[in-house]
C-alpha cells in the first residue's frame, strides 16, 4: 500500500497486480456479472449491514473488478490458513513481511516479531500511558470531542514515542494520515503513488539521519531497525522503509478507527462503561476491547491471490484470481457467534478474527492493544461519563475502511 497495512489493502490500488485478465471475465474470457459492488450505495449507506446481508445471501461474492470476497467465518479462516492455495504476493511492491509467502515470510516475520515481545511491551507501557494521559488532559472536560480525531493524534504520538520519532513530525504525520485516507478513496493511482512517496521521504529522513550519526544515533527502535539483520545480512534500505511503512503507514489510520469504535461503543453502553470505571484488570479490559472491535471491526479485509484453481461453496475461483477475506463480516457470522451484536468477550474470544489468523496474523497486536487500553483508561479516568453527542451525528467511514469517520462524543 502505499502503506502495506491498511484496513483492506485497498491503498495498494497503485500496487495492484491484477489477475492477468480483464476484470469481470472468467478464465475463458467470458464476461461475468458482479455479485455486488464494494463501493456501491448499499455498502456506503450501512457497510456492516450490507456485509451481514451478503454473508447470508452470497457468501462468496464476485466484485466488478473480478475479485472475490469471502464473508463467512469458515471461509475466511479456511483461506487464511491455507497458505499453499492462497498467496500474499498481491503487490508488485516489496511488502515486508505481509506481501511474502513461505520461508521468505518466516525469515522476515521473525525479525518483525522481535519488536513486539512481552518484555518490550512491558517497558513501553509507562511511555504509552503517559502519552495517553497527557493527550486526554489537554481535552476540555466537560466538552465535546470527536473520538476519531483524538484517536488519530494519540496513534501518531504513541507510535512516535515507540519509534523515537521527533514531536515536530506530529502535524506532518497527521496530515499524511488524512492525505492517505482521501487518496485511497479517490482510487487515483497518481495520488496514491504521491502519498506513498511522501511517506517514504518522511521515513528516509529518519533512517538516513541515524545512519549518518553512526555510533551517536539515538538509542531507539528506529536505530535498532536500521542496524537489524535478516538471514545473517543487514536489512536493505528498501526493506527498512517497507517495515516502517507497514508499522506506521496504515496503522495510524487503523488505530484512529479502533479508538472511534471503542469509545462510541462505551458511550452507547453506559452499563459496560460503569463496569470498566469501577476498575477491571488489563486482561479483562483487553478482552472487552477485542469484543467491541469484533462487533464492529474497522479493519475490514485483506487480500490474497489464488495460486491454483479452487472451488469455494461451489464458486470456481481461478488461479490468479484475487480473494479478499472480510474480517468484518466473518466476525459477525451468526453460525459462530449467534447474535452478532451479543457482547460476550470470553465465549467469543477463541473465534475473534480482529487480528487475523494464520501466518500473517497481526504481529502488532500487543502494541495496538497496549495503546487502546491506555487510551480507554485515560479517557475513563478523566471523565465521569462519555455519552453520544445528540447534536452531531456520527458518520460511517466508507469502504475500504470501516468504523466511523466522525464519532462525536460528549465528555462529562
Ligand atoms: C490498530 C489495530 C490493528 C488491527 C485491527 C490490525 C489487524 C491486522 C490483521 C487482521 C492482520 C492480518 C493481515 C492478513 O492476514 O493479511 C494484520 C497484519 C499485520 N499487522 Fe496489524 N493490526 C493493527 C495494528 C497493527 C500495528 C500497531 C502494527 C505494528 C506496529 C501492525 C503490524 C502488522 C503487520 C506487520 C502485519 C502483517 C503480518 C504478516 O504478514 O506476517 N498492526 N493486522
Amino acid at each position: 500500500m502505499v502503506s502495506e497495512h491498511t484496513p483492506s489493502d485497498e491503498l495498494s490500488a497503485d500496487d495492484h497486480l491484477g489477475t492477468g485478465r480483464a476484470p469481470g471475465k472468467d478464465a475463458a474470457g467470458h464476461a461475468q456479472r458482479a455479485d455486488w459492488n464494494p463501493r456501491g450505495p448499499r455498502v456506503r449507506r450501512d457497510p456492516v449491514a450490507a456485509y451481514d446481508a451478503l454473508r447470508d445471501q452470497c457468501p462468496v461474492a464476485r466484485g466488478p473488478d473480478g475479485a472475490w470476497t469471502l464473508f463467512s467465518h469458515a471461509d475466511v479462516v479456511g483461506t487464511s490458513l491455507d497458505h499453499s492455495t492462497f498467496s500474499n504476493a498481491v503487490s508488485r511492491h516489496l511488502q515486508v513481511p505481509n506481501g511474502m509467502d513461505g520461508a521468505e515470510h518466516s525469515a522476515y516475520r521473525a525479525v518483525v516479531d522481535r519488536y513486539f515481545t512481552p518484555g518490550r511491551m512491558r517497558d513501553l507501557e509507562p511511555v504509552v500511558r503517559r502519552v495517553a494521559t497527557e493527550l486526554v488532559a489537554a481535552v476540555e472536560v466537560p466538552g465535546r470531542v470527536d473520538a476519531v480525531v483524538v484517536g488519530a493524534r494519540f496513534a501518531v504520538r504513541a507510535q512516535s514515542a515507540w519509534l523515537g520519532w521527533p514531536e515536530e513530525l506530529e502535524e506532518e504525520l497527521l496530515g499524511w494520515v488524512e492525505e492517505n485516507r482521501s487518496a485511497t478513496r479517490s482510487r487515483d493511482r497518481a495520488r496514491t503513488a504521491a502519498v506513498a512517496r511522501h511517506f517514504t521521504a518522511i521515513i528516509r529522513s529518519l533512517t538516513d539521519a541515524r545512519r549518518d550519526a553512526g555510533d551517536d544515533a539515538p538509542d531507539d527502535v528506529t536505530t535498532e531497525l536500521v542496524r537489524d539483520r535478516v538471514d545473517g545480512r543487514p536489512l536493505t534500505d528498501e526493506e527498512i522503509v517497507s517495515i516502517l511503512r507497514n508499522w506506521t503507514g496504515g496503522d495510524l489510520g487503523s488505530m484512529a478507527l479502533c479508538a472511534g469504535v471503542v469509545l462510541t461503543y462505551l458511550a452507547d453502553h453506559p452499563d459496560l462503561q460503569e463496569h470498566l470505571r469501577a476498575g477491571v484488570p488489563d486482561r479483562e479490559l483487553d478482552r472487552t476491547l477485542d469484543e467491541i472491535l469484533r462487533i464492529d471491526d474497522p479493519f475490514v479485509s485483506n487480500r490474497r491471490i489464488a495460486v491454483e484453481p479452487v472451488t469455494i461453496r461451489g464458486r470456481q475461483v481461478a488461479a490468479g484470481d484475487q480473494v479478499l477475506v472480510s474480517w468484518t463480516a466473518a466476525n459477525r457470522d451468526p453460525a459462530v457467534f449467534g447474535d452478532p451484536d451479543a457482547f460476550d468477550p470470553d465465549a467469543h474470544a477463541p473465534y475473534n478474527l480482529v487480528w487475523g489468523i494464520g501466518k500473517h496474523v497481526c504481529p502488532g497486536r500487543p502494541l495496538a492493544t497496549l495503546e487502546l487500553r491506555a487510551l480507554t483508561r485515560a479517557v475513563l479516568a478523566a471523565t465521569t461519563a462519555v455519552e453520544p453527542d445528540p447534536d452531531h451525528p456520527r458518520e460511517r467511514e466508507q469502504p475500504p475502511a470501516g468504523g466511523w469517520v466522525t464519532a462525536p462524543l460528549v465528555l462529562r
Side-chain angles (χ1 to χ4, degrees):
M1 352 190 184
V2 179
S3 77
E4 289 94 325
H5 189 255
T6 52
S8 87
D9 292 343
E10 285 277 350
L11 247 195
S12 46
D14 108 277
D15 300 352
H16 193 89
L17 246 198
T19 59
R21 59 173 183 267
K25 300 264 173 89
D26 66 14
H30 301 128
Q32 288 202 342
R33 202 174 53 84
D35 299 312
W36 74 305
N37 180 358
R39 290 163 189 265
R42 185 177 171 197
V43 178
R44 302 183 82 82
R45 216 169 21 250
D46 187 346
V48 176
Y51 302 146
D52 281 348
L54 276 147
R55 194 190 44 246
D56 288 347
Q57 294 153 19
C58 186
V60 181
R62 202 175 166 95
D65 62 354
W68 299 94
T69 301
L70 309 182
F71 291 100
S72 79
H73 193 275
D75 292 341
V76 166
V77 169
T79 300
S80 305
L81 293 176
D82 184 353
H83 301 287
S84 54
T85 309
F86 299 97
S87 162
N88 264 54
V90 293
S91 169
R92 61 192 158 85
H93 295 303
L94 179 71
Q95 297 189 324
V96 183
N98 50 319
M100 299 172 159
D101 294 319
E104 186 187 33
H105 172 261
S106 304
Y108 286 92
R109 177 67 193 237
V111 174
V112 167
D113 280 341
R114 289 202 292 271
Y115 290 83
F116 301 99
T117 58
R120 284 185 183 246
M121 294 301 109
R122 253 192 320 274
D123 292 348
L124 187 63
E125 180 152 19
V127 178
V128 173
R129 280 222 302 256
R130 194 178 58 241
V131 169
T133 310
E134 285 175 8
L135 183 129
V136 174
V139 171
E140 252 179 63
V141 180
R144 299 180 133 91
V145 287
D146 183 331
V148 183
V149 172
V150 172
R153 192 168 288 279
F154 171 66
V156 167
R157 278 193 198 169
Q159 292 243 11
S160 296
W162 173 53
L163 293 167
W165 291 7
E167 279 173 26
E168 305 84 75
L169 260 188
E170 183 169 322
E171 296 310 323
E172 185 172 2
L173 284 168
L174 274 170
W176 183 86
V177 172
E178 197 37 49
E179 245 178 77
N180 187 28
R181 183 179 168 268
S182 65
T184 308
R185 268 138 209 80
S186 76
R187 307 187 91 192
D188 174 344
R189 278 169 176 243
R191 274 186 77 187
T192 50
V195 172
R197 280 196 300 278
H198 181 188
F199 201 72
T200 302
I202 297 176
I203 294 181
R204 284 272 173 152
S205 70
L206 296 158
T207 53
D208 287 352
R210 281 159 176 79
R211 274 229 176 78
D212 295 346
D215 290 346
D216 296 330
D219 179 16
D220 60 30
V221 168
T222 305
T223 301
E224 202 179 336
L225 194 64
V226 166
R227 294 179 181 155
D228 212 335
R229 303 171 77 78
V230 64
D231 287 340
R233 57 137 181 102
L235 290 167
T236 64
D237 268 9
E238 212 194 348
E239 289 163 352
I240 294 166
V241 168
S242 177
I243 291 173
L244 281 171
R245 183 187 279 164
N246 212 346
W247 285 355
T248 52
D251 297 309
L252 297 175
S254 305
M255 280 299 306
L257 293 172
C258 287
V261 167
V262 165
L263 295 176
T264 48
Y265 191 91
L266 294 181
D268 292 347
H269 296 82
D271 291 352
L272 176 63
Q273 200 184 124
E274 275 317 303
H275 175 67
L276 299 183
R277 283 181 187 285
V280 293
D282 283 352
R283 191 183 136 79
E284 183 182 341
L285 180 54
D286 293 355
R287 284 219 160 178
T288 301
L289 298 170
D290 282 356
E291 178 68 344
I292 294 172
L293 295 172
R294 177 195 69 74
I295 292 170
D296 189 1
D297 186 352
F299 194 99
V300 178
S301 61
N302 283 104
R303 203 183 310 176
R304 303 286 188 265
I305 195 155
V307 295
E308 55 190 56
V310 55
T311 303
I312 310 175
R313 288 182 201 261
R315 307 295 304 262
Q316 323 260 293
V317 175
D321 276 0
Q322 300 223 7
V323 177
L324 280 98
V325 288
S326 173
W327 309 116
T328 305
N331 266 322
R332 295 178 52 80
D333 190 340
V336 174
F337 301 106
D339 173 2
D341 293 308
F343 179 85
D344 193 347
D346 290 334
H348 295 159
Y351 313 103
N352 187 311
L353 295 175
V354 168
W355 309 100
I357 189 169
K359 286 186 184 176
H360 295 276
V361 68
C362 183
R365 175 180 182 172
L367 176 63
T369 301
L370 167 59
E371 291 182 10
L372 281 172
R373 190 202 300 147
L375 182 64
T376 306
R377 286 207 191 281
V379 169
L380 293 179
T383 57
T384 53
V386 177
E387 296 167 2
D389 184 340
D391 301 324
H392 298 93
R394 272 172 218 171
E395 222 182 286
R396 273 285 174 198
E397 175 58 296
Q398 292 302 318
W404 305 100
V405 64
T406 44
L409 298 174
V410 174
L411 305 182
R412 297 191 195 282

